[in-house]
């Protein structure tokens, strides 16, 4: 055994001189190969002075408008065709594809500008994880709700003869299900969506799995698609309070308003659960904060 840094002596050369070869100690790199962004401040008044902040609000407004226009128009179109011929129309599968596909497209387009939330529940979850400030979260939600109202308003303007008679694409509890079941469905559905958002945008996961190229909007869009397949028969699938609010405002039906609280409480509780699960269980934020023990770096 040689001590670290010991110099090996080569055999004598032709001129009787030895050549010294130093053994360098091995270099170990212990630094993280990813960087977690610092927590967003609770109140960041400086954002109100930035054009990039207002540009993000515009992006969220337009994205939610387009999302509601395409998806609600798909729902109304399906009901129109299916009413004439039960074998016609895109069916539940087509409606789920419309919602999931539009989320994929719009998150891809707006992620670099606003983060591509397009959903108050997603914004709420990211706020709880300190990814956005309170001011940004509140104004994002306002922009999303206004965009949703305008998007559904366009559907009613273009499909006026069918809109009111075919339910307006509004969310309510389907016959045969109670409100408790509906709340549970919305909580679980939103949990799946927000958990996917956290996982797809996690810097640690991106660094660890850099050899697996995954476009973040793709799993998010698929999460929306899968949740719609499961919950369309129960609630019409909310998981997005802006989507439910925009449709309720334009359709303006008593039954829809009676059930409307479900589509805020369920998604917000689901977002809370997903944020807590990802941050405090998977990322062990509480343990790291207490410093009780180091998490396994290979996790």
């Amino acid at each position: 055994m040689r001590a670290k840094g010991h110099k090996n002596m080569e055999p004598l050369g032709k001129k009787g001189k030895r050549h010294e070869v130093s053994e360098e100690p091995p270099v170990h790199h212990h630094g993280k190969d990813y960087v977690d962004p610092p927590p967003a401040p609770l109140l960041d008044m400086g954002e109100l002075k930035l054009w990039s902040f207002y540009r993000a609000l515009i992006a969220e407004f337009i994205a939610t408008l387009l999302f509601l226009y395409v998806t609600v128009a798909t729902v109304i179109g399906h009901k129109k065709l299916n009413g004439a011929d039960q074998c016609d129309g895109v069916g539940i599968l087509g409606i789920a594809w419309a919602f999931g596909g539009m989320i994929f497209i719009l998150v891809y387009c707006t992620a670099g500008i606003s983060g591509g939330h397009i959903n108050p529940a997603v914004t709420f979850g990211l706020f709880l994880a300190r990814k956005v400030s309170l001011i940004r979260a509140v104004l994002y939600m306002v922009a999303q709700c206004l965009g949703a109202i305008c998007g559904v308003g366009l559907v009613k303007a273009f499909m006026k003869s069918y809109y009111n008679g075919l339910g307006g694409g509004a969310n309510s509890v389907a016959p045969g299900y109670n409100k408790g079941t509906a709340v549970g469905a919305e909580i679980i559905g939103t949990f799946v969506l927000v958990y996917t958002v956290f996982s797809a945008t996690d810097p640690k996961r991106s660094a660890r799995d850099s050899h697996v190229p995954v476009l973040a909007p793709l799993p998010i869009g698929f999460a929306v698609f899968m949740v719609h397949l499961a919950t369309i028969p129960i609630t019409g699938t909310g998981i997005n309070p802006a989507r439910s609010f925009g449709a309720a405002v334009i359709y303006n039906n008593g039954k829809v308003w009676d059930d409307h609280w479900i589509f805020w409480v369920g998604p917000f509780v689901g977002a809370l659960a997903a944020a807590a699960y990802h941050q405090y269980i998977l990322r062990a934020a509480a343990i790291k904060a207490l410093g009780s023990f180091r998490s396994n770096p290979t996790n």
Side-chain angles (χ1 to χ4, degrees), residues 160-225:
K160 192 171 183 179
S161 58
Y162 301 102
Y163 179 84
N164 287 325
L166 296 174
N171 293 120
S172 62
V173 181
Y177 296 94
N178 59 46
K179 293 184 178 182
T181 301
V183 171
E186 289 295 308
I187 290 173
I188 295 172
T190 311
F191 180 93
V192 172
L193 170 59
V194 178
Y195 174 39
T196 304
V197 170
F198 275 108
S199 297
T201 59
D202 188 342
K204 181 176 182 179
R205 182 190 182 97
S206 298
R208 184 187 64 192
D209 300 337
S210 58
H211 62 288
V212 183
V214 176
L215 190 63
L218 185 59
I220 297 171
F222 262 104
V224 172
F225 167 69

Coordinates of all heavy atoms in Angstrom, one line a residue, residues 160-225:
K160 N -74.9 29.3 -31.3 CA -76.0 29.8 -30.4 C -77.3 28.9 -30.5 O -77.9 28.7 -29.5 CB -76.4 31.2 -30.8 CG -77.3 31.9 -29.8 CD -77.5 33.4 -30.2 CE -78.3 34.1 -29.1 NZ -78.5 35.6 -29.4
S161 N -77.6 28.4 -31.6 CA -78.8 27.6 -31.8 C -78.7 26.3 -31.0 O -79.7 25.7 -30.7 CB -79.1 27.4 -33.2 OG -78.0 26.7 -33.9
Y162 N -77.5 25.8 -30.7 CA -77.4 24.5 -30.0 C -76.8 24.7 -28.6 O -77.0 23.8 -27.8 CB -76.4 23.6 -30.8 CG -76.8 23.4 -32.2 CD1 -76.2 24.1 -33.3 CD2 -77.8 22.4 -32.5 CE1 -76.6 23.8 -34.6 CE2 -78.2 22.2 -33.8 CZ -77.6 22.9 -34.8 OH -78.0 22.7 -36.1
Y163 N -76.2 25.8 -28.3 CA -75.5 25.9 -27.0 C -76.4 25.7 -25.8 O -76.1 24.8 -25.0 CB -74.8 27.3 -27.0 CG -74.1 27.6 -25.7 CD1 -72.7 27.1 -25.5 CD2 -74.7 28.2 -24.6 CE1 -72.1 27.3 -24.3 CE2 -74.0 28.4 -23.4 CZ -72.7 27.9 -23.3 OH -72.0 28.1 -22.1
N164 N -77.4 26.5 -25.7 CA -78.3 26.4 -24.5 C -79.0 25.0 -24.4 O -79.2 24.5 -23.3 CB -79.3 27.5 -24.4 CG -78.6 28.8 -24.1 OD1 -77.7 28.9 -23.3 ND2 -79.1 29.9 -24.7
G165 N -79.4 24.5 -25.5 CA -80.2 23.3 -25.5 C -79.3 22.0 -25.2 O -79.9 21.0 -24.9
L166 N -78.0 22.2 -25.4 CA -77.1 21.0 -25.2 C -76.2 21.1 -24.0 O -75.2 20.5 -23.9 CB -76.3 20.8 -26.5 CG -77.1 20.5 -27.8 CD1 -76.2 20.4 -29.0 CD2 -77.8 19.1 -27.6
G167 N -76.6 21.9 -23.0 CA -75.9 21.9 -21.7 C -74.8 22.9 -21.6 O -74.3 23.1 -20.5
G168 N -74.4 23.6 -22.7 CA -73.4 24.6 -22.6 C -72.0 24.2 -22.2 O -71.2 25.0 -21.8
G169 N -71.8 22.9 -22.2 CA -70.4 22.4 -21.8 C -70.2 22.6 -20.3 O -69.0 22.6 -19.9
A170 N -71.2 22.9 -19.5 CA -71.0 23.2 -18.1 C -70.9 22.0 -17.2 O -71.4 20.9 -17.6 CB -72.2 24.1 -17.6
N171 N -70.1 22.1 -16.1 CA -69.9 21.0 -15.2 C -71.0 20.9 -14.1 O -71.4 21.9 -13.6 CB -68.6 21.1 -14.5 CG -67.4 20.9 -15.4 OD1 -66.6 21.8 -15.6 ND2 -67.3 19.8 -16.0
S172 N -71.6 19.7 -13.9 CA -72.5 19.5 -12.8 C -72.4 18.0 -12.5 O -71.9 17.2 -13.2 CB -73.9 19.9 -13.2 OG -74.4 19.1 -14.3
V173 N -73.0 17.6 -11.3 CA -73.0 16.2 -10.9 C -74.0 15.5 -11.8 O -75.2 15.8 -11.9 CB -73.4 16.1 -9.4 CG1 -73.3 14.7 -9.0 CG2 -72.4 16.9 -8.6
A174 N -73.5 14.4 -12.4 CA -74.4 13.6 -13.3 C -75.4 12.8 -12.5 O -75.2 12.5 -11.3 CB -73.5 12.6 -14.1
P175 N -76.6 12.5 -13.0 CA -77.6 11.7 -12.4 C -77.0 10.4 -11.9 O -76.3 9.7 -12.7 CB -78.7 11.6 -13.4 CG -78.5 12.7 -14.3 CD -77.0 13.0 -14.4
G176 N -77.4 9.9 -10.7 CA -76.9 8.7 -10.2 C -75.7 8.8 -9.3 O -75.2 7.8 -8.7
Y177 N -75.1 10.0 -9.3 CA -74.0 10.2 -8.4 C -74.3 11.3 -7.4 O -75.1 12.2 -7.7 CB -72.7 10.7 -9.2 CG -72.2 9.7 -10.2 CD1 -72.7 9.7 -11.5 CD2 -71.3 8.7 -9.8 CE1 -72.2 8.7 -12.4 CE2 -70.9 7.7 -10.7 CZ -71.3 7.7 -12.0 OH -70.9 6.8 -12.9
N178 N -73.7 11.2 -6.2 CA -74.0 12.3 -5.2 C -72.9 13.3 -5.1 O -71.8 13.1 -5.8 CB -74.2 11.7 -3.8 CG -73.1 10.8 -3.3 OD1 -71.9 11.2 -3.4 ND2 -73.4 9.6 -2.8
K179 N -73.0 14.3 -4.4 CA -72.0 15.4 -4.4 C -70.7 15.0 -3.7 O -69.6 15.4 -4.1 CB -72.6 16.6 -3.7 CG -73.7 17.3 -4.5 CD -74.2 18.6 -3.8 CE -75.3 19.2 -4.7 NZ -75.8 20.5 -4.1
G180 N -70.8 14.1 -2.7 CA -69.6 13.5 -2.1 C -68.7 12.8 -3.1 O -67.5 12.9 -3.2
T181 N -69.4 12.0 -3.9 CA -68.6 11.2 -5.0 C -68.0 12.2 -6.0 O -66.8 12.0 -6.4 CB -69.6 10.3 -5.7 OG1 -70.1 9.4 -4.8 CG2 -68.9 9.5 -6.8
A182 N -68.7 13.3 -6.3 CA -68.2 14.2 -7.3 C -67.0 15.0 -6.7 O -66.0 15.2 -7.4 CB -69.3 15.2 -7.6
V183 N -67.1 15.4 -5.4 CA -65.9 16.0 -4.8 C -64.7 15.1 -4.8 O -63.6 15.5 -5.1 CB -66.3 16.5 -3.4 CG1 -65.0 17.0 -2.7 CG2 -67.3 17.6 -3.4
G184 N -64.9 13.8 -4.5 CA -63.8 12.9 -4.5 C -63.2 12.7 -5.8 O -62.0 12.6 -6.0
A185 N -64.1 12.6 -6.9 CA -63.6 12.5 -8.2 C -62.7 13.7 -8.6 O -61.7 13.6 -9.3 CB -64.7 12.3 -9.2
E186 N -63.2 14.9 -8.3 CA -62.4 16.1 -8.6 C -61.1 16.2 -7.8 O -60.1 16.6 -8.4 CB -63.3 17.3 -8.3 CG -64.4 17.5 -9.3 CD -64.0 17.8 -10.7 OE1 -63.2 18.7 -10.9 OE2 -64.4 17.1 -11.6
I187 N -61.1 15.7 -6.6 CA -59.9 15.8 -5.8 C -58.8 14.8 -6.4 O -57.7 15.2 -6.6 CB -60.1 15.4 -4.3 CG1 -60.9 16.5 -3.6 CG2 -58.8 15.1 -3.6 CD1 -61.4 16.1 -2.2
I188 N -59.2 13.6 -6.7 CA -58.3 12.6 -7.2 C -57.8 13.0 -8.6 O -56.6 13.0 -9.0 CB -58.9 11.2 -7.3 CG1 -59.2 10.7 -5.9 CG2 -58.0 10.2 -8.0 CD1 -60.0 9.5 -5.8
G189 N -58.8 13.5 -9.5 CA -58.4 13.9 -10.8 C -57.4 15.1 -10.8 O -56.4 15.1 -11.6
T190 N -57.6 16.1 -9.9 CA -56.7 17.2 -9.9 C -55.4 16.8 -9.3 O -54.3 17.3 -9.6 CB -57.3 18.4 -9.1 OG1 -58.7 18.6 -9.5 CG2 -56.5 19.6 -9.2
F191 N -55.4 15.9 -8.3 CA -54.2 15.3 -7.7 C -53.3 14.8 -8.8 O -52.1 15.0 -8.9 CB -54.5 14.3 -6.7 CG -53.2 13.7 -6.0 CD1 -52.7 14.2 -4.9 CD2 -52.6 12.6 -6.6 CE1 -51.6 13.7 -4.3 CE2 -51.5 12.1 -6.1 CZ -50.9 12.6 -4.9
V192 N -53.9 14.0 -9.7 CA -53.1 13.3 -10.8 C -52.5 14.4 -11.7 O -51.3 14.4 -12.1 CB -54.0 12.4 -11.7 CG1 -53.3 12.0 -12.9 CG2 -54.5 11.2 -10.8
L193 N -53.3 15.4 -12.0 CA -52.8 16.5 -12.9 C -51.7 17.3 -12.2 O -50.6 17.5 -12.8 CB -53.9 17.5 -13.3 CG -53.5 18.8 -14.0 CD1 -52.8 18.5 -15.3 CD2 -54.8 19.6 -14.2
V194 N -51.9 17.8 -11.0 CA -50.9 18.7 -10.4 C -49.6 17.8 -10.0 O -48.5 18.4 -10.1 CB -51.5 19.4 -9.2 CG1 -50.4 20.2 -8.4 CG2 -52.7 20.2 -9.6
Y195 N -49.8 16.6 -9.6 CA -48.6 15.7 -9.4 C -47.8 15.6 -10.6 O -46.6 15.6 -10.6 CB -49.1 14.4 -8.8 CG -48.1 13.3 -8.6 CD1 -46.8 13.7 -8.1 CD2 -48.4 12.0 -9.0 CE1 -45.9 12.7 -8.0 CE2 -47.4 11.0 -8.8 CZ -46.2 11.4 -8.3 OH -45.2 10.4 -8.1
T196 N -48.5 15.4 -11.8 CA -47.8 15.3 -13.0 C -47.0 16.6 -13.4 O -45.9 16.5 -13.9 CB -48.8 14.9 -14.2 OG1 -49.5 13.7 -13.8 CG2 -48.0 14.7 -15.5
V197 N -47.7 17.7 -13.1 CA -47.0 19.0 -13.4 C -45.7 19.1 -12.5 O -44.6 19.5 -13.0 CB -47.9 20.2 -13.0 CG1 -47.2 21.5 -13.0 CG2 -49.1 20.2 -14.0
F198 N -45.8 18.8 -11.2 CA -44.6 18.8 -10.4 C -43.5 17.9 -10.9 O -42.3 18.2 -10.9 CB -45.0 18.5 -8.9 CG -45.5 19.7 -8.2 CD1 -46.8 19.8 -7.8 CD2 -44.6 20.7 -7.7 CE1 -47.3 20.9 -7.1 CE2 -45.0 21.7 -7.0 CZ -46.4 21.8 -6.7
S199 N -43.9 16.7 -11.2 CA -42.9 15.7 -11.7 C -42.3 16.1 -13.0 O -41.1 15.9 -13.2 CB -43.6 14.3 -11.8 OG -44.1 13.9 -10.6
A200 N -43.1 16.6 -13.9 CA -42.6 16.9 -15.3 C -41.7 18.1 -15.2 O -40.8 18.3 -16.1 CB -43.7 17.2 -16.2
T201 N -41.8 19.0 -14.2 CA -41.0 20.2 -14.2 C -39.9 20.2 -13.1 O -39.3 21.2 -12.8 CB -41.9 21.4 -14.0 OG1 -42.6 21.3 -12.8 CG2 -42.8 21.6 -15.1
D202 N -39.7 19.0 -12.4 CA -38.8 18.9 -11.3 C -37.4 19.0 -11.8 O -37.0 18.1 -12.6 CB -39.0 17.5 -10.6 CG -38.2 17.4 -9.3 OD1 -37.3 18.2 -9.1 OD2 -38.6 16.6 -8.5
P203 N -36.6 19.9 -11.4 CA -35.2 20.1 -11.9 C -34.3 18.9 -11.6 O -33.4 18.5 -12.3 CB -34.7 21.4 -11.3 CG -35.5 21.6 -10.1 CD -36.9 21.0 -10.5
K204 N -34.6 18.2 -10.4 CA -33.8 17.1 -10.0 C -34.1 15.9 -10.9 O -33.1 15.2 -11.4 CB -34.1 16.7 -8.6 CG -33.3 15.5 -8.1 CD -33.6 15.2 -6.6 CE -32.8 14.0 -6.1 NZ -33.0 13.7 -4.7
R205 N -35.3 15.7 -11.2 CA -35.7 14.6 -12.2 C -35.1 14.9 -13.5 O -34.6 13.9 -14.2 CB -37.2 14.5 -12.2 CG -37.7 13.3 -13.1 CD -39.2 13.4 -13.4 NE -39.6 12.3 -14.2 CZ -40.1 11.2 -13.7 NH1 -40.3 11.0 -12.4 NH2 -40.5 10.2 -14.5
S206 N -35.2 16.1 -14.0 CA -34.6 16.5 -15.3 C -33.2 16.2 -15.4 O -32.7 15.7 -16.5 CB -34.9 17.9 -15.6 OG -36.3 18.2 -15.7
A207 N -32.4 16.5 -14.3 CA -31.0 16.2 -14.3 C -30.7 14.8 -14.3 O -29.8 14.2 -15.0 CB -30.3 17.0 -13.2
R208 N -31.4 14.0 -13.4 CA -31.1 12.6 -13.2 C -31.5 11.8 -14.5 O -30.8 10.8 -14.8 CB -32.0 12.1 -12.0 CG -31.7 10.6 -11.7 CD -32.7 10.2 -10.6 NE -34.1 10.3 -11.1 CZ -35.1 10.1 -10.3 NH1 -35.0 10.0 -9.0 NH2 -36.3 10.2 -10.8
D209 N -32.6 12.2 -15.1 CA -33.1 11.4 -16.3 C -32.8 12.2 -17.6 O -33.6 12.1 -18.5 CB -34.6 11.2 -16.1 CG -34.9 10.3 -14.9 OD1 -34.0 9.6 -14.4 OD2 -36.1 10.4 -14.4
S210 N -31.7 12.9 -17.6 CA -31.4 13.7 -18.8 C -31.2 12.8 -20.1 O -31.3 13.3 -21.2 CB -30.2 14.6 -18.6 OG -29.0 13.7 -18.3
H211 N -30.9 11.5 -19.8 CA -30.7 10.6 -21.0 C -32.0 10.2 -21.6 O -32.1 9.5 -22.6 CB -29.9 9.4 -20.5 CG -30.6 8.6 -19.5 ND1 -30.7 9.0 -18.2 CD2 -31.3 7.4 -19.5 CE1 -31.4 8.2 -17.4 NE2 -31.7 7.1 -18.2
V212 N -33.1 10.5 -20.9 CA -34.5 10.2 -21.4 C -35.2 11.5 -21.8 O -35.7 12.2 -20.9 CB -35.3 9.5 -20.3 CG1 -36.7 9.1 -20.9 CG2 -34.6 8.2 -19.8
P213 N -35.1 11.9 -23.0 CA -35.7 13.2 -23.4 C -37.2 13.1 -23.4 O -37.9 12.4 -24.1 CB -35.2 13.4 -24.9 CG -34.9 12.0 -25.4 CD -34.5 11.2 -24.2
V214 N -37.8 13.9 -22.5 CA -39.3 14.0 -22.3 C -39.7 15.4 -22.4 O -39.2 16.3 -21.7 CB -39.7 13.4 -21.0 CG1 -41.2 13.6 -20.8 CG2 -39.4 11.9 -20.9
L215 N -40.6 15.7 -23.3 CA -41.1 17.1 -23.4 C -42.2 17.3 -22.3 O -43.2 16.6 -22.3 CB -41.8 17.2 -24.8 CG -42.2 18.6 -25.3 CD1 -41.0 19.5 -25.4 CD2 -42.9 18.5 -26.6
A216 N -41.9 18.2 -21.4 CA -42.8 18.3 -20.2 C -44.3 18.5 -20.5 O -45.1 17.9 -19.8 CB -42.3 19.5 -19.4
P217 N -44.7 19.2 -21.6 CA -46.1 19.3 -21.8 C -46.8 18.0 -22.2 O -48.0 17.9 -22.0 CB -46.2 20.3 -23.0 CG -44.9 21.1 -23.0 CD -43.9 20.1 -22.4
L218 N -46.0 17.0 -22.7 CA -46.6 15.8 -23.1 C -47.2 15.0 -21.9 O -48.4 14.6 -22.0 CB -45.6 14.9 -23.8 CG -46.1 13.6 -24.5 CD1 -47.2 13.9 -25.5 CD2 -44.9 12.9 -25.1
P219 N -46.5 14.7 -20.9 CA -47.2 14.0 -19.8 C -48.3 14.8 -19.1 O -49.3 14.2 -18.6 CB -46.0 13.7 -18.8 CG -45.0 14.7 -19.1 CD -45.1 14.9 -20.6
I220 N -48.2 16.1 -19.1 CA -49.3 16.9 -18.6 C -50.5 16.8 -19.4 O -51.6 16.6 -18.9 CB -48.8 18.4 -18.5 CG1 -47.6 18.6 -17.5 CG2 -50.0 19.3 -18.0 CD1 -47.0 19.9 -17.5
G221 N -50.4 16.9 -20.7 CA -51.5 16.7 -21.6 C -52.1 15.3 -21.4 O -53.4 15.1 -21.4
F222 N -51.3 14.3 -21.3 CA -51.8 12.9 -21.1 C -52.5 12.7 -19.8 O -53.5 12.0 -19.7 CB -50.6 11.9 -21.2 CG -50.5 11.3 -22.6 CD1 -49.6 11.7 -23.5 CD2 -51.5 10.3 -23.0 CE1 -49.5 11.1 -24.8 CE2 -51.4 9.7 -24.3 CZ -50.4 10.1 -25.2
A223 N -52.0 13.4 -18.8 CA -52.7 13.4 -17.5 C -54.1 13.9 -17.6 O -55.1 13.3 -17.1 CB -51.9 14.2 -16.4
V224 N -54.3 15.0 -18.3 CA -55.6 15.6 -18.5 C -56.5 14.6 -19.3 O -57.7 14.4 -19.0 CB -55.5 17.0 -19.2 CG1 -56.9 17.5 -19.6 CG2 -54.8 18.0 -18.3
F225 N -55.9 14.0 -20.3 CA -56.7 13.1 -21.1 C -57.2 11.9 -20.3 O -58.3 11.5 -20.4 CB -55.7 12.6 -22.3 CG -56.2 11.4 -23.0 CD1 -57.3 11.5 -23.8 CD2 -55.6 10.2 -22.9 CE1 -57.8 10.3 -24.5 CE2 -56.0 9.0 -23.6 CZ -57.1 9.1 -24.4

